[in-house]
Amino acid sequence: MSGIVVYLPRDAVCPPRGTRRIGDGDGVPYDSSVTLRLGPGEVARFGRGSATTPVELRLDDEAISRLAGEIRVTDDHWQLSNHSATQSYLVENPEGAGEYLRVPPRRAGAPIPFEFSRVVLPTRRDTTVSFQVFAPDHVYLDPDGMAGQWGSRTVTAYSLDETALYFLVLVALCEPRLRDESPVAVPTTPQIVERLKWHPACGGLTARAVSSHIDYLAEEKMRISTPAEHGSGGARRNGKREALVGIALRFGLVREEHLALLPPRTTVRIRERETSS
């Protein structure tokens, strides 16, 4: 398994060494978000931290303990430990129907089943502090070999959840070529935000979130590498999008029937006219 990717919130402070800023590269400014990658067996601690209590994910809020909790990665899932003596944490499934887990105080090693999670910590303000975790690919048995030995299982080369938001982003990336509108151009991140904003699940979709989904698709789902030493950040992201679309269409991961997942174009135009009038 490739491990997990943790996206820290904007107000994360003192990002750990080796993290990188998330930027869009096509007209959207960089913000202070960072990523942290953990492989199987690795651990990251989170909290307010101090000189005597170092943490990998440092969250800036006085209501959060110096050592609030710990993330531990296994081969096929990740676990959350709550080190607080008084406060529960929530792990939400942003792509589910309100699904969430409550991790009570002092709970150690709670297994998290969601492929995409939001860890939410309470504060004394009118907002919470949260960060996102993209989990390892889920493993599925080979349907032709269910009666065989476990050791002979076959895993999916590209494990994509067609109900997930990242798949919707991928369909939006592929839409022009599926409709034979452009043999070359791939939508930019702002164009994807605009295309999906009328979808019921995408009302609050931001360019930063789209960039995160593109990174997750490229780095975790399809394992695409783009040379970091050549070109600007925008060029690298353009190459990443091009590579995603190429693989998705060549291997039939995104097909014409998936276009039905997108908001109808007629509806988008009507609502845009209503908004502007």
Side-chain angles (χ1 to χ4, degrees), residues 45 88 133 159 178 180 185 240:
R45 300 188 300 176
S88 294
V133 180
S159 176
L178 284 172
D180 293 326
K240 187 180 293 185

Side-chain angles (χ1 to χ4, degrees), residues 172-185:
L173 280 172
C174 296
E175 182 183 25
R177 294 190 182 177
L178 284 172
R179 296 189 188 277
D180 293 326
E181 293 179 349
S182 172
V184 177

Side-chain angles (χ1 to χ4, degrees), residues 7 24 26 166 169-170 173 187-189 192 207 209-220 237 240-241 244:
Y7 289 85
D24 178 76
D26 41 42
Y166 67 74
V169 170
L170 182 59
L173 280 172
T188 64
T189 298
I192 294 173
V210 169
S211 295
S212 299
H213 286 297
I214 290 174
D215 286 342
Y216 180 59
L217 282 163
E219 297 168 11
E220 300 300 319
R237 186 166 293 279
K240 187 180 293 185
R241 288 196 301 262
L244 283 173

Side-chain angles (χ1 to χ4, degrees), residues 60 98 119 158 168 186 209 228 271:
D60 187 19
V119 180
Y158 300 114
L168 197 62
V186 173
R271 289 181 176 175

